[in-house]
Amino acid sequence: MFDRRNVLLLGAPASGKGTQSAYIIRDFGLAQLSTGDMLREAVRSGTELGKQAKKYMDEGQLVTDSVIIDLISEALKRPECAKGAIFDGFPRTVVQAEELDTMLKKHSTSLTHIVNIEVPDEVLIERAAGRRSCSKCGKVFHISFNPPSVAGVCDKCGGELIQRDDDNEATMAKRLKIFHDTTEKLLTYYERGTNLLTIDGMAPADEIYIGKLKVFLNDIPQKQQ
Ligand code: AMP
């Protein structure tokens, strides 16, 4: 498709991928494919997949590649993906990255933009510890950096704000270790030529988006057109 974008957001847990996704959805109308959100939905619905995945998630471990690849493969068939997609939290391993390339090829497309958001570990731990999300609409707050008007209540829909089970300090430390040991290696995988932008994730979210990300996304690499 002429104007199709497939954007990969690489970055550690709590680096701001979800926040940047919301801006991209608003301006470019892409579908957000967040494997973390899909898994949490499966846990909430009590499906067999959710029950299996929860054990890994609570331990801060990665869910099996084949399970994750099936989720994305199904999601890519949705009509919302016709304009392209934002991959948020996927791929996290080289096996997943290779499978994504194959899947996109089947849909006659490929990744157009890779975005690497960098934030120091100590800041990520602080962000995760204070992160609260709405149990109804999923909107994300932070108790210090972006608090709701009324403590514990979502500004957008009035839903109850909850803390993710895996955002505690011990689990976050494990998630960060896996990120550095495994997921960060994807940078080498993608440095081989795809359009890669590295962003300092310490800047305010709207500045990151307006100053860097939006400009980057406005341009679609020639080979996609
Ligand atoms: P996230 O919301 O992206 O931080 O994901 C929360 C948890 O879901 C992770 O700590 C993993 O247990 C699991 N998960 C999400 N995406 C993946 C993935 N691509 N591969 C393996 N496990 C994943």
Side-chain angles (χ1 to χ4, degrees):
M1 183 174 287
F2 189 66
D3 66 348
R4 183 164 178 162
R5 290 173 178 79
N6 290 304
V7 182
L8 166 56
L9 297 182
L10 275 175
S15 58
K17 302 189 295 296
T19 305
Q20 295 301 326
S21 293
Y23 292 129
I24 302 174
I25 293 163
R26 182 194 64 195
D27 291 349
F28 294 93
L30 307 184
Q32 181 189 11
L33 302 184
S34 158
T35 40
D37 284 350
M38 292 176 198
L39 292 170
R40 280 183 288 279
E41 178 53 36
V43 172
R44 268 195 300 275
S45 320
T47 62
E48 196 47 45
L49 164 71
K51 283 179 198 151
Q52 293 298 325
K54 190 170 182 345
K55 294 181 214 152
Y56 294 92
M57 295 166 82
D58 286 350
E59 282 297 309
Q61 303 295 327
L62 292 184
V63 173
T64 325
D65 282 334
S66 59
V67 168
I68 297 289
I69 289 161
D70 285 351
L71 280 177
I72 290 286
S73 167
E74 282 307 306
L76 278 174
K77 293 178 191 157
R78 290 194 223 131
E80 307 92 271
C81 294
K83 278 189 86 177
I86 307 164
F87 297 92
D88 166 358
F90 171 89
R92 269 172 149 102
T93 64
V94 172
V95 171
Q96 293 180 16
E98 289 169 346
E99 279 295 331
L100 177 61
D101 285 346
T102 308
M103 285 188 272
L104 289 176
K105 212 166 177 183
K106 279 191 197 146
H107 289 264
S108 309
T109 186
S110 63
L111 285 173
T112 53
H113 302 80
I114 317 251
V115 182
N116 173 33
I117 309 177
E118 290 186 333
V119 178
D121 280 8
E122 59 276 18
V123 177
L124 294 168
I125 290 173
E126 198 186 359
R127 283 188 188 176
R131 176 157 67 178
R132 300 288 183 274
S133 46
C134 177
S135 52
K136 268 196 193 161
C137 73
K139 190 172 166 57
V140 179
F141 297 84
H142 189 282
I143 52 173
S144 312
F145 310 139
N146 177 28
S149 312
V150 178
V153 181
C154 177
D155 285 351
K156 192 173 159 197
C157 75
E160 184 197 358
L161 299 186
I162 50 168
Q163 182 175 28
R164 275 170 50 170
D165 290 342
D166 58 352
D167 268 349
N168 64 76
E169 206 172 321
T171 310
M172 188 61 183
K174 290 187 202 160
R175 292 162 69 198
L176 288 178
K177 182 167 181 346
I178 292 182
F179 174 75
H180 293 304
D181 290 349
T182 308
T183 308
E184 225 169 22
K185 299 211 167 74
L186 291 180
L187 279 175
T188 320
Y189 180 85
Y190 287 120
E191 262 161 10
R192 287 194 238 124
T194 331
N195 213 12
L196 172 72
L197 172 74
T198 293
I199 288 179
D200 173 7
M202 290 295 284
D206 53 344
E207 278 178 28
I208 292 178
Y209 181 67
I210 297 293
K212 291 260 166 82
L213 189 50
K214 193 173 178 188
V215 180
F216 179 58
L217 296 180
N218 268 324
D219 204 30
I220 304 182
Q222 282 303 312
K223 66 176 185 179
Q224 271 298 304
Q225 297 183 1

